[in-house]
Amino acid sequence: MRDRGRTRRLMGLGARTGGAMLKTRLGGQANWRALGEALFEGLSELKGPAMKMAQMMSQWDDLLPPDLAEELARLQRQAEPMPWPRIREALVLQYGELDEHFREIEERPFASASMGQVHKAITRDGETVVLKVQYPGLSEVLESDLAQLKRIMRLGRWFKVPQARLDAMFEELAAGLRDELDYLAEARALERYRARYAYDSRLIIPEPLMALCGTRVLAMRFVEGTPLRGLESADDATRQQVAATLADWITEELFTFGELHADPHAGNFAADAQGRLIIYDFGAVITVPEDRLMAMMALLKATLEKDAMAMDEAMLKMGGRQGQGAPLSLYREAAECVAPLFAPGEQDFGDVRVHRRLRELSPKVWGAMDRLQPPADTLLLSRALNGHYWNLVRLKARLDMHARVTPLLNWAVVAPAER
């Protein structure tokens, strides 16, 4: 991976991003389309952490300025693939003579992402597999890219986010990205999840071929499916089946196993012809301690009860609030936005009124950042939950969230010794 010019281009993107944010904060009209185009042109070739951050942002497409959201979505769909000769070098480094292992490897990837791209192949035994290949040289430039990303994150100080909190958020993000570089760890995660959910016929988790896996190449049996974004136009029964499976799986991950799939990029999920949920990517799996789950449920309980003082107490305990003066009116507005999704009976995640209210609330949240901030140690958890929520929105899910969360709220108030 070319190192020359990366720093200059990342710094330039940081300056453009900062300028747009500052202009908006001062009451002006930022050119979000131009910023999005600059991000697409710069990051689709650079790959790495900054592109990963942009893809994370794109998951919240209903809350971003529309022009910026459109360009970030294009970054997900049309990221410039790395030329085949560079990818072949990585494969040769892993396998030696490729003909000894594969009859054929498709040179054109069928998926490109921030940290690697995926190529279909046929083994000597005639089996169709997919090879997830880490971009050559990424590990060598990761730390310098992270240093530039840290500088870009300092823009958060304009919104009165303390430097110590920005540093803690950066360290959590950086640790997650470093973990994603270890493809053997992802192969072991695939094995663990396959064993864990072997009983659930609604889920499909591809089998890793451990003999062909290495730290920078992951080999899996090919499982064909329709990507999650492609299901937006599918029949309602299929969408509801996939949505219910996704919601059940996330709940069991968190409250039974204390883990969460932390990369809810829509491209990591698909459905097969029978409507079963396919989960392709396990490069980011985080541990979620029980006390953090209990704190989250305390905040949800206070939100559903529309108790602004209890919401503030929960935020303080989570480390998500500082300074003088609780933003009680903002809490009340947030509760009014969220509560309808948890009313008794089936609720429609595709209801645009909910998204419109969230969009309208977003500037007020930014305006209260001197008091209301994301807890530093829950960055990946919050991002993952938000991403999974938007996947349910894309599926136009109709779920009885009241019935789903009531036992979880009851669980959270029972002392561990009494469970």
Side-chain angles (χ1 to χ4, degrees):
M1 180 172 290
R2 297 190 306 272
D3 184 60
R4 185 177 60 184
R6 290 179 66 86
T7 298
R8 174 178 55 79
R9 294 172 72 181
L10 283 170
M11 290 180 68
L13 290 173
R16 293 192 190 192
T17 304
M21 292 171 66
L22 180 59
K23 190 172 183 179
T24 301
R25 185 168 182 255
L26 295 176
Q29 291 296 315
N31 189 339
W32 294 111
R33 171 70 64 182
L35 174 60
E37 290 174 350
L39 287 169
F40 179 87
E41 294 299 328
L43 297 178
S44 64
E45 292 184 1
L46 278 179
K47 315 298 185 186
M51 183 178 177
K52 186 77 172 183
M53 281 290 289
Q55 289 181 335
M56 291 177 186
M57 291 169 58
S58 72
Q59 291 164 3
W60 304 318
D61 50 8
D62 279 28
L63 298 183
L64 294 171
D67 286 344
L68 179 59
E70 184 178 330
E71 290 300 316
L72 292 178
R74 188 161 68 100
L75 184 62
Q76 279 197 29
R77 298 190 304 269
Q78 302 174 18
E80 187 71 22
M82 181 163 283
W84 167 248
R86 298 296 315 282
I87 294 298
R88 190 179 190 283
E89 289 176 17
L91 291 171
V92 169
L93 189 63
Q94 171 69 39
Y95 299 118
E97 288 294 331
L98 298 183
D99 290 344
E100 294 181 4
H101 301 278
F102 305 102
R103 292 183 187 175
E104 177 187 347
I105 302 177
E106 293 184 2
E107 296 185 8
R108 182 176 180 83
F110 69 85
S112 299
S114 56
M115 311 291 272
Q117 62 192 39
V118 183
H119 292 255
K120 193 181 296 185
I122 300 175
T123 67
R124 298 302 305 174
D125 296 330
E127 183 172 14
T128 302
V129 301
V130 292
L131 303 175
K132 179 181 175 182
V133 187
Q134 189 177 121
Y135 293 124
L138 183 59
S139 60
E140 286 75 21
V141 302
L142 177 65
E143 296 306 319
S144 62
D145 277 14
L146 285 173
Q148 296 306 319
L149 186 57
K150 188 172 186 178
R151 291 189 178 94
I152 294 173
M153 287 181 68
R154 288 175 183 166
L155 298 171
R157 289 182 295 183
W158 291 351
F159 297 95
K160 300 182 181 180
V161 181
Q163 187 61 50
R165 187 172 298 252
L166 288 172
D167 289 344
M169 292 170 65
F170 169 80
E171 289 304 326
E172 185 179 11
L173 173 65
L177 289 172
R178 292 181 185 117
D179 288 345
E180 283 195 49
L181 292 182
D182 187 350
Y183 284 6
L184 277 178
E186 181 176 355
R188 290 190 290 270
L190 278 164
E191 287 190 314
R192 184 171 74 252
Y193 270 76
R194 280 177 56 82
R196 179 182 295 173
Y197 292 101
Y199 77 92
D200 194 335
S201 60
R202 303 173 302 165
L203 282 175
I204 299 179
I205 298 171
E207 179 184 356
L209 303 175
M210 298 303 292
L212 293 174
C213 291
T215 55
R216 298 180 185 179
V217 180
L218 174 66
M220 300 179 291
R221 297 189 191 281
F222 174 67
V223 179
E224 189 169 12
T226 301
L228 204 64
R229 284 187 178 275
L231 293 177
E232 294 178 20
S233 57
D235 65 272
D236 184 68
T238 297
R239 284 188 286 103
Q240 298 311 317
Q241 179 179 333
V242 174
T245 302
L246 179 60
D248 289 345
W249 174 64
I250 294 167
T251 302
E252 186 169 359
E253 266 202 285
L254 282 170
F255 291 92
T256 301
F257 299 105
E259 287 190 319
L260 183 64
H261 182 290
D263 190 0
H265 183 308
N268 291 336
F269 301 89
D272 72 357
Q274 288 75 48
R276 295 176 294 183
L277 176 65
I278 307 169
I279 310 164
Y280 290 120
D281 190 298
F282 283 85
V285 175
I286 58 174
T287 300
V288 185
E290 186 174 283
D291 60 349
R292 193 171 300 168
L293 279 176
M294 293 180 69
M296 289 169 52
M297 297 312 293
L299 176 59
L300 178 59
K301 182 175 185 293
T303 301
L304 298 184
E305 293 174 353
K306 301 181 181 179
D307 186 338
M309 291 299 293
M311 290 173 69
D312 192 58
E313 181 180 351
M315 287 295 293
L316 286 167
K317 286 183 178 179
M318 292 175 65
R321 235 267 288 151
Q322 66 166 24
Q324 299 297 316
L328 298 180
S329 62
L330 181 59
Y331 289 147
R332 294 188 186 99
E333 286 190 70
E336 291 293 336
C337 286
V338 172
L341 280 177
F342 294 88
E346 271 193 356
Q347 303 303 324
D348 186 358
F349 278 67
D351 188 341
V352 296
R353 292 172 297 178
V354 175
H355 312 147
R356 188 180 302 119
R357 295 187 71 176
L358 287 171
R359 185 189 289 273
E360 292 169 353
L361 188 65
S362 185
K364 298 179 182 179
V365 174
W366 284 108
M369 285 295 277
D370 57 335
R371 293 169 290 165
L372 185 66
Q373 297 173 15
D377 61 349
T378 61
L379 174 67
L380 296 182
L381 175 60
S382 299
R383 178 182 73 82
L385 291 174
N386 271 288
H388 287 304
Y389 163 77
W390 288 113
N391 283 335
L392 291 172
V393 170
R394 292 184 184 98
L395 290 167
K396 300 180 178 66
R398 294 190 306 277
L399 299 170
D400 188 340
M401 295 304 295
H402 178 82
R404 286 174 175 274
V405 304
T406 297
L408 303 178
L409 293 171
N410 294 335
W411 167 88
V413 299
V414 177
E418 299 177 16
R419 291 185 193 140

